[in-house]
Amino acid sequence: MQITMNWRVVLALAISLPGLSNPVRADDASLYASERAVFQAAWTAAGRGDIDALEDAIEAIPDYPLTPYLQFELKRQQIDRQGGPEMERFLARFRDWSFADRLEQQWLTSLGQAGRNADLLRYGEPARDVATQCRLAAARLANGDTGGLEARIRAAWLSPKSQPKACDPLFSWWKRQGNPDIDTAWQRFGLAIEAGETQLARYLRRYLAPTDRMLADGWLKLADRTAAGLADARAWPDQPRARQLVAWGLHRLAGNDWQRASALLEGLERTFSFTGDEIGPVRRRIALFQAVDLEAEAIDSIDALGSPWVDQQMLEWRLRAALANGLWSEALNSIQRMPAEQQLRERWRYWRARALAELDRPAAGLVYATLATEADYYGFLAALQSNQPLTLCSRDIQADGDVQRRLLRDAEFERANELFHVGLAWHARWTWNRVSRRLSNAELQQAALLAAAIGWHDRAIHALGQARSMDAYPWRFPMIERERIQNESRRHGIDPALVMGLMRAESAMQADARSPAGARGLLQLMDGTAREVARRNKLAYKGPADLYEPDKNIALGTAHLGELNRRFSGDWTLVAAAYNAGISSAERWRRERPDLPGDIWLETLPFFETRDYVPRVLAFATVYEWQLGRRPEVLANNLLENSPEKTAFGCPTSQAAAP
């Protein structure tokens, strides 16, 4: 998506935003409309490999802030023709620009591939590509420079995967020096098994001592068929390496079948004289996954571990097992055993209040009342549990024309905004992040206002978070695409506040967002999901690029949410869980935990990502209820068995007056 809005339009928008009563004047802004058009045309032509268009544009707009990006692209497309001194000067000049590191790595790779050893020896030290590092080391070896070389090659050889062929000459020299030793060979053998590279592990077996190969074969069987391998291990000698491998197999099995691991451990302890350090991690993992299965007996298993195996994670799962089984005294005990700084976190304060209330302790009211002043998921829940208004005190950030003008005159800040305008989103965000690290909180607030004014909402959210302006709700929770979301929500029978909350949690309102898994756009849809939703709902969809278009993403995303809403009978804890972890996981969790109260159901989910994601969606949706001028009902309707008759937002006078 390309954005061609200039600063006059930006400032007209700024006047209409909350808090921007004194924006910078239009004549203070830099206007690059004609240069921008030339740049965008050249960048598009560069995508077709049009070198002439790049060269013409560089000559036509020499003073435009983004012209170095055209120079970068020209060099990138002619990477094999770049001379050392010229490239060194270019990289030195633009070292702090977003393209510099990528260009340098590509250039060093090209030097190695072309066999330009003199240049590689002079400039190649920053190379991160393994093949290029090996070529650099080989060039040093050819010059007779072996200082520190064995250690470098050992580090390269200790990889869980096969290394590039460019490293083979170095490895051959290294082996002629008597390497690898047995411990190094075992280390790489283990790395390969841990990474699932069993074919490489079988190759590495040759470097082990003949007397160790039986154990190596046993380790391979443990990796392939863990339970069967552990049964065979009863014939192994009781020696340190054998005990380590048995403990490894038990630890691995416990994550999938803690009951079987526990039974096998009981038998293997009659064969092996495990030390506490060797078997402690196994016992801990068995107790952990017993608690993840919400077994009441997990509480005793955890308590039997003793120090140092009962850490914060174990106490959290001890608490969850207690919650799932209604053991409120044990739940309270779990929290009281946590470090003091953990007990102060909103999450554990909420569960302390819940436990105290279930135990009819008077202190519950005070804990709820204190927590209810917090504007987050746990604060909102505490307010609902104690029949108090949900606290939302919004800060109005006023524009400071002097600070904004100073920012707009900053070359790097100007470059970030200009990159956003021409649609180079990754470069824009990289540059913005670099600028933001050197800004004061007051400057970050003004930068956020400027970003929001041009529709760069995710950077406004990011800047306000850096500035600790968490209560600047109109900017941290922008109402983008409001009309479209409301229309699509009505069409599919879902609450627009929940759609907005989920969108805010998924992408921070970043239309070009893409996750490592390939989810795209505002509602982070996968291509396969989008295709199926489009087919079922007769919506237009041409491919993944459509998901970066807000109108198409919202239409497809709300249709998908509508389907999930019907499937899970309007229960948005399940809808959000399915959206995050998949329908099958959400349905399994519903079957496994059918009778738990909503807040306990969420707290006991086995996936930490979903366990944090769903509360975030519901809390964000609550803020959007406030933005939409509605009563807070999302949390009460989806989590509480007995909803308060009246719910409302409020802001205590003391908080409203705070700066």
Side-chain angles (χ1 to χ4, degrees):
M1 180 177 64
Q2 291 184 338
I3 302 171
T4 57
M5 194 183 304
N6 66 35
W7 277 103
R8 286 194 177 93
V9 177
V10 169
L11 295 169
L13 284 174
I15 293 169
S16 67
L17 283 175
L20 288 190
S21 56
N22 183 31
V24 295
R25 299 191 309 274
D27 58 1
D28 291 324
S30 300
L31 302 174
Y32 293 112
S34 59
E35 293 94 333
R36 192 177 296 157
V38 173
F39 178 92
Q40 290 176 306
W43 194 263
T44 301
R48 302 191 299 268
D50 190 340
I51 300 298
D52 291 340
L54 276 172
E55 291 175 336
D56 290 345
I58 291 168
E59 185 176 349
I61 51 172
D63 299 322
Y64 179 53
L66 302 190
T67 296
Y69 281 85
L70 299 178
Q71 296 171 317
F72 145 69
E73 184 61 17
L74 181 62
K75 289 183 179 298
R76 191 190 69 80
Q77 295 204 20
Q78 298 179 324
I79 199 72
D80 295 336
R81 294 163 52 184
Q82 301 304 313
E86 178 189 357
M87 182 64 86
E88 183 181 36
R89 287 192 297 271
F90 184 81
L91 290 170
R93 181 180 177 189
F94 298 107
R95 174 56 60 192
D96 297 331
W97 289 49
S98 55
F99 57 70
D101 183 68
R102 174 186 171 193
L103 180 63
E104 180 177 51
Q105 295 303 316
Q106 289 180 321
W107 179 55
L108 296 178
T109 298
S110 76
L111 294 181
Q113 291 173 340
R116 292 168 58 181
N117 286 353
D119 282 341
L120 191 61
L121 286 166
R122 181 172 177 181
Y123 304 110
E125 191 59 38
R128 292 193 298 272
D129 172 69
V130 174
T132 304
Q133 290 176 339
C134 284
R135 291 185 178 108
L136 175 60
R140 286 176 174 152
L141 181 61
N143 284 355
D145 179 5
T146 60
L149 194 57
E150 283 195 58
R152 288 189 179 212
I153 297 174
R154 181 181 184 276
W157 192 78
L158 278 173
S159 166
K161 297 183 181 296
S162 296
Q163 295 289 50
K165 291 188 178 298
C167 299
D168 289 350
L170 285 175
F171 292 154
S172 296
W173 175 85
W174 183 65
K175 290 168 188 174
R176 290 196 297 272
Q177 312 311 305
N179 297 297
D181 59 61
I182 296 299
D183 286 342
T184 300
W186 266 111
Q187 188 177 348
R188 191 180 185 198
F189 185 87
L191 290 170
I193 287 183
E194 291 279 12
E197 296 286 336
T198 53
Q199 184 175 351
L200 174 60
R202 289 188 174 89
Y203 166 81
L204 294 170
R205 182 179 178 276
R206 70 189 64 189
Y207 295 110
L208 303 175
T211 54
D212 287 339
R213 289 174 186 166
M214 181 196 74
L215 289 181
D217 292 339
W219 199 354
L220 283 164
K221 187 169 184 178
L222 286 172
D224 185 37
R225 293 182 294 139
T226 307
L230 287 168
D232 291 349
R234 287 192 290 258
W236 294 358
D238 185 8
Q239 57 176 304
R241 199 181 302 280
R243 292 196 297 270
Q244 290 168 11
L245 295 186
V246 170
W248 182 91
L250 287 167
H251 193 272
R252 180 186 181 95
L253 180 62
N256 297 315
D257 189 344
W258 64 266
Q259 295 99 329
R260 192 167 188 184
S262 181
L264 284 168
L265 172 59
E266 186 176 347
L268 288 163
E269 283 187 306
R270 292 193 287 269
T271 301
F272 296 97
S273 53
F274 295 108
T275 67
D277 287 343
E278 287 170 341
I279 208 62
V282 173
R283 294 189 183 283
R284 180 190 183 280
R285 190 165 173 86
I286 289 171
L288 173 64
F289 279 91
Q290 187 179 11
V292 170
D293 276 355
L294 305 181
E295 298 280 338
E297 293 78 7
I299 294 171
D300 290 336
S301 298
I302 292 170
D303 290 346
L305 292 173
S307 181
W309 309 112
V310 181
D311 55 12
Q312 177 64 26
Q313 183 189 37
M314 295 302 292
L315 289 172
E316 291 176 12
W317 277 105
R318 187 184 189 279
L319 167 66
R320 293 180 183 117
L323 293 175
N325 290 280
L327 301 174
W328 291 102
S329 293
E330 293 295 352
L332 188 60
N333 177 263
S334 299
I335 297 168
Q336 290 169 340
R337 290 168 60 180
M338 293 178 182
E341 65 274 13
Q342 286 291 333
Q343 293 187 43
L344 292 173
R345 290 184 57 197
E346 287 83 356
R347 186 181 218 133
W348 313 127
R349 288 161 60 199
Y350 174 77
W351 289 114
R352 179 168 179 262
R354 278 280 272 128
L356 290 169
E358 292 289 340
L359 295 168
D360 293 322
R361 305 273 183 87
L366 178 60
V367 181
Y368 272 142
T370 304
L371 183 56
T373 63
E374 306 287 341
D376 60 18
Y377 170 76
Y378 296 102
F380 294 154
L381 270 186
L384 291 169
Q385 295 279 17
S386 54
N387 289 306
Q388 299 179 64
L390 279 65
T391 298
L392 263 178
C393 299
S394 182
R395 176 186 304 200
D396 185 20
I397 301 176
Q398 295 297 319
D400 186 323
D402 291 337
V403 174
Q404 290 186 2
R405 276 187 286 274
R406 211 161 51 239
L407 286 170
L408 294 171
R409 287 194 295 269
D410 183 298
E412 201 167 21
F413 186 83
E414 178 187 54
R415 183 162 72 248
N417 283 287
E418 199 59 26
L419 285 163
F420 173 76
H421 283 307
V422 300
L424 297 187
W426 182 88
H427 292 284
R429 207 163 280 113
W430 187 97
T431 308
W432 173 284
N433 291 345
R434 178 181 158 80
V435 174
S436 70
R437 288 194 291 269
R438 59 177 168 80
L439 298 182
S440 68
N441 285 351
E443 289 170 328
L444 285 166
Q445 289 178 353
Q446 297 304 312
L449 297 185
L450 290 170
I454 61 173
W456 204 1
H457 297 291
D458 67 288
R459 289 306 87 191
I461 293 167
H462 180 267
L464 290 169
Q466 281 183 283
R468 302 181 185 277
S469 300
M470 309 307 288
D471 51 0
Y473 297 112
W475 297 275
R476 290 191 60 241
F477 294 88
M479 301 280 283
I480 72 167
E481 301 287 346
R482 174 176 178 171
E483 184 176 355
R484 192 186 310 279
I485 290 170
Q486 289 180 316
N487 289 339
E488 294 293 341
S489 296
R490 278 194 297 271
R491 180 173 293 115
H492 298 288
I494 50 181
D495 187 338
L498 285 161
V499 176
M500 292 177 184
L502 189 140
M503 182 186 297
R504 172 66 169 76
E506 284 285 345
S507 66
M509 306 309 190
Q510 178 184 332
D512 66 324
R514 180 173 180 177
S515 76
R520 293 170 167 86
L522 289 169
L523 284 162
Q524 288 290 277
L525 290 166
M526 298 292 288
D527 174 55
T529 301
R531 288 185 186 280
E532 288 299 309
V533 170
R535 179 183 60 79
R536 288 192 296 266
N537 292 272
K538 296 181 172 54
L539 296 172
Y541 181 68
K542 296 178 181 177
D546 281 0
L547 297 177
Y548 295 123
E549 300 297 330
D551 57 339
K552 296 175 183 175
N553 190 285
I554 290 169
L556 290 162
T558 51
H560 180 41
L561 287 169
E563 292 175 343
L564 294 176
N565 191 57
R566 291 188 293 275
R567 186 176 193 131
F568 293 106
S569 304
D571 184 340
W572 266 72
T573 57
L574 285 161
V575 170
Y579 201 91
N580 177 256
I583 293 172
S584 61
S585 293
E587 290 184 331
R588 183 177 72 254
W589 296 333
R590 178 169 61 175
R591 288 193 306 271
E592 293 172 347
R593 298 161 167 80
D595 301 319
L596 291 179
D599 57 348
I600 296 177
W601 186 88
L602 274 182
E603 183 59 47
T604 57
L605 289 178
F607 288 5
F608 76 90
E609 180 184 338
T610 308
R611 193 166 61 242
D612 291 342
Y613 171 85
V614 178
R616 189 165 65 251
V617 168
L618 296 175
F620 288 177
T622 300
V623 178
Y624 277 109
E625 287 183 297
W626 174 81
Q627 287 275 62
L628 291 165
R630 290 169 27 186
R631 290 174 52 208
E633 297 176 335
V634 163
L635 280 168
N637 291 344
N638 285 280
L639 288 180
L640 301 187
E641 292 180 337
N642 299 308
S643 301
E645 291 184 7
K646 293 184 179 180
T647 57
F649 289 107
C651 179
T653 305
S654 59
Q655 288 185 255

